[in-house]
Amino acid sequence: PSNSAIPTVNGTCSENGSTIEVRNPTLIGSAACTAGSFTVTTSGVTTNASNSLTTRAVDAAGNFSADSTTVAYVHDNTAPSMGAVSDGLGADVAWQTTASSLSGNWPAATDTNGIGSYDRNISTATTCTGDAAATQNIANVTNSTFNSLMLTNGTLYYNCVRATDAAGNISAWTFSNGVTVDTSIPSTVVSGPANGAKLAALASISGTASDSVSGVQSVAITIATGGNYWNGSLWTAPVTWLATTG
């Protein structure tokens, strides 16, 4: 049997011209035996439930063959349902600092008769063409990392995932909200005091910071002299980074 919306039953037969009947257990379709085989388009198969099919041949004189061995199968033509796909291996991330790998995770898809496997690719658009990393079958798992990639700094990438159930039905692609690769190092410039200045007191340190991709999140400074560092109230040996404002 097939799992199409209108299932078909195929088999072999010995008397060309005879009629092959398919029952479940009542008659659900028939077709002629032609060149030793038959294909019967059926109606009355129960979706997502067990069906027990038998066949028999009827010749032109009205003689019936014995019923065939029962074929039991679950008719499933419903695609699995996917949940949300997240970037990274845990909580969803918006940025990553590596260009050589990319991870994604998702909850198990739901399907009446179970999930067989997942496909995953990495794309630069939600059409999920796999232009950044081609589609791979990754078995029945709910997270995956692709390595040996050559991702581009500043580019947004989507994790695309689809599920295949035990009957071979395939879901539509589900895509993440995207993760941007940022391999750029932020830069800072101290504008005051001037380099080499001699001051009686240092009231403040000023400057600028920039980042071309994800922006500057915070800036910290160190103040050192003679191997000691200012911790905000006194000089100590351990390196101390002081938070800034502005």
Side-chain angles (χ1 to χ4, degrees):
S2 69
N3 272 305
S4 59
I6 303 176
T8 58
V9 177
N10 307 291
T12 59
C13 46
S14 59
E15 186 175 342
N16 292 332
S18 62
T19 299
I20 307 301
E21 297 181 343
V22 179
R23 296 177 175 272
N24 183 37
T26 59
L27 182 67
I28 60 171
S30 62
C33 175
T34 304
S37 64
F38 65 88
T39 299
V40 177
T41 301
T42 65
S43 61
V45 172
T46 304
T47 302
N48 294 322
S50 180
N51 294 270
S52 298
L53 308 182
T54 58
T55 62
R56 68 177 182 178
V58 184
D59 65 17
N63 298 305
F64 292 89
S65 70
D67 288 351
S68 67
T69 302
T70 299
V71 174
Y73 89 112
V74 173
H75 181 68
D76 177 4
N77 64 354
T78 303
S81 177
M82 282 287 301
V85 177
S86 297
D87 300 302
L89 293 176
D92 186 67
V93 297
W95 307 92
Q96 69 171 46
T97 58
T98 177
S100 61
S101 66
L102 196 146
S103 301
N105 73 94
W106 53 93
T110 57
D111 186 84
T112 302
N113 299 299
I115 300 300
S117 64
Y118 295 90
D119 295 324
R120 175 179 174 235
N121 72 47
I122 301 171
S123 302
T124 56
T126 57
T127 48
C128 294
T129 59
D131 57 316
T135 299
Q136 296 182 30
N137 183 272
I138 55 172
N140 191 359
V141 297
T142 55
N143 64 78
S144 168
T145 299
F146 285 177
N147 295 302
S148 300
L149 304 177
M150 297 179 66
L151 305 178
T152 302
N153 182 46
T155 299
L156 179 68
Y157 293 95
Y158 298 93
N159 274 292
C160 295
V161 182
R162 66 185 180 186
T164 301
D165 68 15
N169 299 302
I170 303 174
S171 73
W173 287 108
T174 297
F175 50 87
S176 66
N177 60 2
V179 56
T180 300
V181 172
D182 181 3
T183 58
S184 299
I185 298 174
S187 63
T188 58
V189 176
V190 175
S191 56
N195 185 33
K198 295 177 175 58
L199 305 173
L202 179 62
S204 66
I205 298 174
S206 60
T208 59
S210 63
D211 183 86
S212 60
V213 179
S214 58
V216 176
Q217 183 176 18
S218 63
V219 176
I221 63 171
T222 61
I223 305 173
T225 182
N228 291 315
Y229 295 85
W230 183 251
N231 69 3
S233 58
L234 52 86
W235 298 97
T236 61
V239 177
T240 302
W241 287 94
L242 304 175
T244 63
T245 60

